[in-house]
Amino acid sequence: MDNAALLYALVQNALDGIITIDDIGTIETINPAGCILFGYQQEEVIGKNISMLMPSPDRERHNNYLSKYKITRKASIIGVGRDLIGMRKGGDLFPMKLGVSEVKYSGRTIYAGFIHDLSKQKIDEEKYKDYASHLEELVEERTKSLNDTIFALEKAKEKVSISLEKEKELSKLKNRFLSMASHEFRTPLSTVQLSASLIEKYAIPFESEPIGKHIAKIKNSVKSLTAILNDFLYVEKLEIGKMKPEFTCFDLVKFGEEITEEMQLLAKPSQNIVFKHIGVPTMIYLDANLLKNCAINLIGNAIKYSGDSCCIDFTTEINDADYIISVHDDGIGIPLEEQKHLFQAFFRAHNTGSIPGTGLGLNIVSRYVSLMKGTADFKSNEQEGTLFTLTFPIS
């Protein structure tokens, strides 16, 4: 195949439209792709001015464009290399890119125009623009939502901060009141206790049973109030961090026996506190005062919440890993749905009825045990009793 035949085949099979015009704009050739692009047959355009394929105002200005180009040789004048608008036979407009080459052929100058249809590209661009616009709106919307959320969080943070400050202030006021009450009420209670003892002494000659009963009631009431005030004082010390454990080495068996003897005096007439120690070792290293408070509190609860005739098991144990203190009773037990609140301050189960108490005891026990690096656990079933276990790892 010679060069002319090859060139002809390339033009005829090109995907883009190719049109050649003379120096005044008359169309000399158009390839099949160009005919399809503009919607004309070859015979409809050959010999016609190229301006027929242009919309206004380019159509009217085309000859002027060519004249200026011949003088200046600036391709931009005729739109070369730019995105332009073409016009099909029916008048429909479409976007296109035009490339023009000046060709010397048979002693004259002709111009070859290479036309690429941009319709699909423009549609895609519009889609991308719409998508980008949608993304911008979405980003703007999400940003606004995020800013609103941040603003709300900042406001909530401010409220929480204010609330925490108020809570701290209220906590300070509460602790001051508890401290004041614990100290100020002790003097009149001591006076009442002393006066009751004096009345008991002076009433001995009268041998009056009613007087003895009333004096006993006064003493028991004073003892109960003193215990309540002590609980308040313990809580106040825990809140402000004044309560620090003082670890010493002491005999756990002797400790258990003394507490059993002391608490047996406070038990109901037919209640029996049974002490047992498990393990050969007897010496432990803990805070004896804090541990005593825990044991007295647990045994006191067992006494309060158990029947008049029962056995309360008080057990100590030393094994290779832990010191263990446990108290078991067959009392009213703790309702299952309320057990999760048991160690909270001022909590009392609904089945305690009229049995007196502040709801602070177990909270104090839990915190004392924690100060000594131990854990407080329990198992309980309503009407079947409760087992409290305090475990302290041997370090």
Side-chain angles (χ1 to χ4, degrees):
M1 181 182 291
D2 58 24
N3 290 338
L6 176 61
L7 181 60
Y8 179 79
L10 290 173
V11 170
Q12 290 297 106
N13 292 281
L15 296 177
D16 287 338
I18 301 175
I19 300 175
T20 59
I21 61 174
D22 61 15
D23 59 356
I24 62 171
T26 302
I27 299 173
E28 294 187 349
T29 64
I30 181 171
N31 72 340
C35 290
I36 294 172
L37 185 60
F38 287 98
Y40 288 100
Q41 298 294 324
Q42 283 187 343
E43 59 271 17
E44 291 181 281
V45 296
I46 292 176
K48 305 288 179 64
N49 193 281
I50 189 68
S51 62
M52 70 176 292
L53 305 178
M54 303 175 184
S56 295
D58 291 337
R59 174 184 295 182
E60 290 77 19
R61 298 173 182 172
H62 178 260
N63 290 335
N64 189 38
Y65 291 155
L66 274 177
S67 300
K68 287 183 179 180
Y69 170 72
K70 291 173 184 177
I71 297 171
T72 64
R73 295 296 175 182
K74 290 183 179 180
S76 60
I77 291 176
I78 55 174
V80 177
R82 289 207 319 244
D83 290 356
L84 301 173
I85 300 297
M87 185 175 69
R88 294 191 174 94
K89 182 176 180 180
D92 293 335
L93 305 181
F94 68 95
M96 67 180 189
K97 181 176 285 292
L98 173 65
V100 176
S101 295
E102 182 178 328
V103 181
K104 299 296 183 179
Y105 177 72
S106 297
R108 63 192 185 95
T109 300
I110 63 173
Y111 301 93
F114 302 87
I115 303 159
H116 179 68
D117 186 1
L118 298 178
S119 299
K120 186 177 184 306
Q121 180 179 326
K122 292 298 181 180
I123 291 173
D124 291 340
E125 286 179 1
E126 288 302 317
K127 286 182 180 179
Y128 294 144
K129 285 180 182 178
D130 290 343
Y131 183 64
S133 177
H134 173 67
L135 285 179
E136 288 177 3
E137 291 176 2
L138 190 60
V139 169
E140 184 177 351
E141 180 182 332
R142 295 294 169 82
T143 302
K144 183 179 181 302
S145 176
L146 181 60
N147 289 335
D148 290 344
T149 302
I150 293 173
F151 180 75
L153 287 174
E154 289 295 332
K155 287 294 182 182
K157 184 179 177 183
E158 290 177 11
K159 289 182 180 179
V160 169
S161 178
I162 293 171
S163 178
L164 287 174
E165 288 300 321
K166 287 182 178 179
E167 187 175 339
K168 287 180 182 178
E169 188 61 30
L170 287 173
S171 180
K172 288 180 182 178
L173 290 173
K174 179 194 71 176
N175 291 333
R176 288 175 192 164
F177 170 76
L178 292 177
S179 179
M180 180 273 295
S182 297
H183 289 93
E184 293 299 323
F185 291 171
R186 284 178 183 276
T187 301
L189 283 175
S190 298
T191 302
V192 172
Q193 180 78 2
L194 178 60
S195 298
S197 297
L198 290 172
I199 292 171
E200 185 178 29
K201 179 181 178 180
Y202 293 137
I204 290 176
F206 298 98
E207 296 181 354
S208 173
E209 186 177 343
I211 292 177
K213 286 183 178 180
H214 287 298
I215 290 174
K217 286 183 179 180
I218 292 172
K219 286 186 174 181
N220 286 335
S221 296
V222 170
K223 189 179 292 185
S224 296
L225 282 173
T226 302
I228 291 171
L229 290 178
N230 286 337
D231 284 349
F232 284 153
L233 187 60
Y234 297 150
V235 169
E236 188 260 341
K237 287 182 178 179
L238 285 167
E239 291 288 345
I240 63 177
K242 281 188 176 181
M243 190 69 71
K244 303 292 183 183
E246 297 180 4
F247 292 89
T248 58
C249 192
F250 59 94
D251 191 315
L252 183 58
V253 173
K254 184 179 178 182
F255 170 88
E257 290 173 345
E258 289 176 353
I259 289 180
T260 301
E261 183 179 351
E262 180 181 338
M263 296 305 292
Q264 186 64 62
L265 297 174
L266 301 177
K268 298 170 186 176
S270 297
Q271 289 179 336
N272 188 28
I273 302 173
V274 179
F275 172 69
K276 179 175 67 174
H277 178 74
I278 300 173
V280 176
T282 62
M283 302 303 291
I284 68 171
Y285 187 70
L286 288 173
D287 186 314
N289 289 327
L290 295 185
L291 190 62
K292 181 178 180 180
N293 186 290
C294 293
I296 287 176
N297 198 298
L298 294 178
I299 296 172
N301 281 348
I303 291 170
K304 280 197 301 183
Y305 300 119
S306 297
D308 292 343
S309 300
C310 70
C311 181
I312 297 170
D313 296 316
F314 175 36
T315 305
T316 60
E317 179 183 349
I318 300 177
N319 57 40
D320 293 338
D322 304 298
Y323 307 132
I324 302 172
I325 311 292
S326 63
V327 176
H328 178 262
D329 65 67
D330 297 318
I332 62 175
I334 305 158
L336 182 62
E337 66 275 10
E338 298 184 355
Q339 291 183 8
K340 60 184 177 182
H341 304 297
L342 192 61
F343 291 115
Q344 294 178 5
F346 301 106
F347 171 77
R348 302 195 73 213
H350 75 271
N351 63 338
T352 55
S354 60
I355 301 173
T358 61
L360 289 173
L362 290 177
N363 177 260
I364 293 171
V365 168
S366 174
R367 295 169 77 169
Y368 278 2
V369 170
S370 181
L371 284 175
M372 293 185 284
K373 310 301 180 185
T375 56
D377 297 300
F378 67 92
K379 294 180 180 178
S380 183
N381 290 305
E382 199 168 2
Q383 302 302 329
E384 295 180 9
T386 303
L387 169 65
F388 279 96
T389 304
L390 310 182
T391 305
F392 305 91
I394 300 175
S395 58

